[in-house]
Structure formats: C-alpha cells, structure tokens
Amino acid sequence: MASRRKFTEEYKAEKAEAVALVVESCRSVKDVAHSLGIHENTLSNLVSLARAGPRWNTSSE
C-alpha cells in the first residue's frame, strides 16, 4: 500500500495564493496558471475545491 504524499507549508501557501488570485480577481484560471507555471488543471481543481466550501481554506491561518 502506497503512503500518502505530504506537502510542505510553502507548497500549500503557493497554491493558496494562486487560488486567491483567481477567486478574488477577474483573472482566469488559465492566465494565473500560465503566469505562475502551474498546470491549468491542477489550479482549476484547487479553485473548484475552494469554491465548494470552507473545507478548503485559502488563508494561511
């Protein structure tokens, strides 16, 4: 059985910042992903999770 991947706090903060750029601005997922070097589908999935509810929090609290 494979172990679950663990992501660093830095990685999580970078992705949360990218999600915030999409959610809080008028920039598209494609534009933000391209400018930050993140795959568009990855960012799209993260944005969908953020918009789905409070389970995924974009703040770094």
Side-chain angles (χ1 to χ4, degrees):
M1 185 169 160
S3 62
R4 191 175 178 130
R5 293 191 309 183
K6 296 180 181 178
F7 296 103
T8 65
E9 291 303 316
E10 180 181 5
Y11 176 85
K12 292 176 188 178
E14 289 174 359
K15 300 308 179 221
E17 183 179 330
V19 169
L21 283 172
V22 173
V23 173
E24 297 171 1
S25 72
C26 60
R27 295 177 67 187
S28 68
V29 169
K30 182 176 182 177
D31 181 41
V32 172
H34 180 69
S35 68
L36 297 177
I38 300 171
H39 195 280
E40 186 178 341
N41 289 342
T42 300
L43 183 55
S44 179
N45 289 338
L46 293 172
V47 169
S48 294
L49 288 171
R51 289 181 173 157
R55 187 177 119 182
W56 200 86
N57 188 358
T58 60
S59 70
S60 59
E61 297 177 334

